[in-house]
């Protein structure tokens, strides 16, 4: 179907941080509703500029439970109690990247193919790559979604201005603002790990891009272009979010200088509200 979009998933090694050098970053296709050997070519695996459609080829990369869990939350097609596990099942294709050198792929703009990119990782030690993500979002209209991190201030790449930074609404993880003063996180979701909350919000972003591509915002070319603009998608997600009961009363409540909650951002993602808007 034309509304099905191509998405990216960027994963660090099994530790969840780019401080490790192991290349265990690959999603297991058999656990997300696809042939175990990836014979349908649903996933392409990238390590720097080298790529393969062969799962665990022995060169590009190998299995990651962390990556597979995030895939199941974001776009998993496997059935559980009669329903897909992912927020956005049925995407057209997934590009699975090794985080340690993902910015290498961003240098290929404007040929970068993915409309939504989930980044359930953070740089350790911190890297100054935020400008790469900001530039790529602008150049290629990419919706980047990233984990805010598991403590301290929101980590890179979620700290980038054009990246949607996602925190947890059921456990205090990273607390904003970002080190450069930008109000972060942007939004939250009800899971106790920000890698999972980022995957949920990525799935919601994918649904919005698919809806816009299908003409839900209007059938003209301009309507469609406006609906799938990365700025529109971010605005719809933040504007549709639901405020938790203590949003304005806890220690992390918005202030005049920091208009988003330091833990919830704009609140918990609510895809029904966002799609209706």
């Amino acid at each position: 179907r034309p509304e099905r979009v191509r998405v990216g998933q960027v994963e660090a090694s099994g530790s969840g941080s780019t401080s490790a050098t192991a290349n265990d970053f690959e999603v297991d296709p058999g656990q997300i509703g696809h042939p175990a050997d990836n014979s349908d070519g649903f996933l392409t695996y990238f390590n720097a500029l080298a790529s393969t459609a062969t799962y665990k080829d022995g060169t590009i990369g190998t299995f990651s439970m962390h990556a597979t869990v995030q895939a199941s939350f974001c776009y998993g097609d496997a059935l559980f109690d009669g329903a897909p596990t992912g927020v956005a099942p049925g995407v057209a294709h997934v590009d699975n990247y090794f985080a340690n050198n993902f910015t290498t792929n961003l240098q290929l703009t404007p040929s970068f193919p993915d409309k939504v990119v989930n980044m359930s990782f953070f740089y350790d030690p911190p890297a100054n790559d935020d400008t790469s993500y900001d530039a790529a979002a602008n150049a290629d209209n990419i919706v980047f979604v990233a984990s805010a991190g598991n403590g301290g201030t929101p980590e890179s790449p979620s700290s980038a201005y054009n990246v949607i930074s996602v925190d947890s609404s059921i456990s205090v993880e990273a607390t904003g603002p970002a080190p450069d003063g930008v109000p972060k996180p942007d939004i939250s979701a009800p899971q106790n790990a920000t890698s999972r909350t980022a995957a949920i919000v990525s799935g919601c972003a994918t649904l919005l891009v698919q809806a816009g591509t299908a003409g839900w915002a209007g059938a003209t070319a301009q309507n469609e272009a406006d609906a799938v603009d990365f700025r529109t998608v971010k605005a719809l997600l933040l504007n549709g979010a639901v405020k938790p009961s203590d949003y304005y009363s806890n220690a992390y409540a918005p202030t005049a200088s920091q208009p988003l909650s330091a833990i919830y951002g704009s609140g918990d993602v609510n895809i029904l509200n966002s799609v209706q808007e």
Side-chain angles (χ1 to χ4, degrees):
R1 299 193 306 271
E3 68 271 18
R4 294 174 63 189
V5 300
R6 184 168 180 150
V7 301
Q9 180 176 348
V10 189
E11 286 286 335
S13 69
S15 68
S17 161
T18 58
S19 61
T21 57
N23 62 350
D24 51 336
F25 71 95
E26 294 188 347
V27 174
D28 179 356
Q31 295 190 46
I32 58 167
H34 290 268
D37 62 354
N38 197 41
S39 58
D40 63 352
F42 178 69
L43 288 141
T44 301
Y45 304 100
F46 289 86
N47 194 337
L49 296 180
S51 66
T52 183
T54 303
Y55 174 52
K56 293 194 299 186
D57 74 332
T59 301
I60 297 294
T62 187
F63 166 72
S64 166
M65 178 57 73
H66 186 271
T68 303
V69 169
Q70 309 331 313
S72 69
F73 273 94
C74 184
Y75 54 81
D77 285 322
L79 296 181
F80 178 77
D81 290 342
T85 60
V87 174
V91 299
H93 187 82
V94 175
D95 294 311
N96 185 187
Y97 303 92
F98 188 30
N100 285 41
N101 45 52
F102 176 59
T103 54
T104 304
N105 297 87
L106 289 178
Q107 307 312 312
L108 297 178
T109 57
S111 59
F112 190 80
D114 304 312
K115 300 302 182 185
V116 179
V117 177
N118 180 73
M119 303 187 292
S120 290
F121 73 96
F122 56 87
Y123 285 109
D124 182 17
N128 189 24
D129 278 331
D130 284 1
T131 55
S132 296
Y133 297 97
D134 286 336
N138 276 316
D140 291 338
N141 192 33
I142 305 166
V143 182
F144 288 112
V145 182
S147 161
N150 298 325
T153 57
E155 302 267 11
S156 180
S158 88
S159 53
Y161 185 81
N162 287 338
V163 173
I164 300 173
S165 175
V166 190
D167 215 325
S168 165
S169 62
I170 62 176
S171 62
V172 177
E173 300 292 339
T175 55
D180 60 0
V182 173
K184 296 281 181 174
D186 295 298
I187 199 166
S188 59
Q191 280 285 327
N192 60 5
T194 58
S195 54
R196 296 183 179 188
T197 62
I200 290 170
V201 173
S202 292
C204 292
T206 300
L207 291 179
L208 289 175
V209 174
Q210 289 178 156
T213 304
W216 287 23
T220 70
Q222 190 63 58
N223 286 146
E224 181 179 318
D226 290 344
V228 301
D229 188 290
F230 77 94
R231 296 164 296 183
T232 304
V233 174
K234 181 177 181 178
L236 289 172
L237 288 170
L238 270 61
N239 212 40
V242 176
K243 303 291 188 289
S245 60
D246 66 341
Y247 186 86
Y248 294 106
S249 60
N250 66 26
Y252 306 100
T255 66
S257 60
Q258 294 294 329
L260 299 178
S261 164
I263 53 172
Y264 299 131
S266 61
D268 261 347
V269 66
N270 186 299
I271 188 58
L272 177 61
N273 289 347
S274 297
V275 168
Q276 288 177 327
E277 290 187 0

